[in-house]
Amino acid sequence: QVQLVESGGGLVQPGGSLTLSCAFSGSIFSRYVMGWYRQAPGKQRELVAGVTSGGTTKYADSVKGRFTISRDNTKNTVYLQMNSLKPEDTAVYYCNAKVGSYVVAADFGSWGQGIQVTVSS
């Protein structure tokens, strides 16, 4: 059974940076498309970024140019580097894993517990 453990969240000022990490275990990492989703108060959970085993990435329009998703297939870990953070980035961020070869926005698969990212002055 897939287990996902996120780390790296916290409080940051607008314009600052954070890097989230997600450790994958319980299955074969290379079979999974990995992603980061977020859910802000009163909003649906949305795909922020996804990456295939081969390194193909997709991003939400709201984070393009600011966030970078990457994965290390030797360490079974996926990262989300977040730069130029805005208050509207405040949300609970969830690591996601789904078997496949393409990044898709549908929110199925396995989930981490979620970590809070708060962007505030």
Side-chain angles (χ1 to χ4, degrees):
Q1 193 160 8
V2 172
Q3 293 177 278
L4 302 171
V5 180
E6 302 109 329
S7 60
L11 175 66
V12 65
Q13 292 185 335
S17 298
L18 285 174
T19 299
L20 306 181
S21 298
C22 175
F24 173 106
S25 63
S27 192
I28 301 175
F29 187 56
S30 61
R31 294 180 179 176
Y32 287 79
V33 176
M34 301 298 298
W36 289 94
Y37 290 69
R38 69 186 181 188
Q39 188 166 31
K43 295 185 177 180
Q44 292 184 309
R45 186 159 56 187
E46 64 173 347
L47 176 68
V48 176
V51 59
T52 69
S53 183
T56 300
T57 59
K58 286 189 177 181
Y59 297 92
D61 288 343
S62 59
V63 307
K64 286 181 180 176
R66 300 189 297 121
F67 291 11
T68 302
I69 190 170
S70 62
R71 65 192 289 165
D72 187 335
N73 288 335
T74 69
K75 299 184 183 297
N76 291 1
T77 302
V78 63
Y79 307 92
L80 185 67
Q81 182 183 353
M82 303 184 292
N83 299 322
S84 301
L85 283 161
K86 304 174 180 180
E88 50 263 46
D89 295 317
T90 296
V92 176
Y93 284 70
Y94 297 89
C95 184
N96 170 263
K98 60 191 69 167
V99 175
S101 300
Y102 302 94
V103 177
V104 295
D107 62 345
F108 55 84
S110 299
W111 298 92
Q113 69 175 180
I115 48 174
Q116 180 70 46
V117 172
T118 301
V119 185
S120 177
S121 59

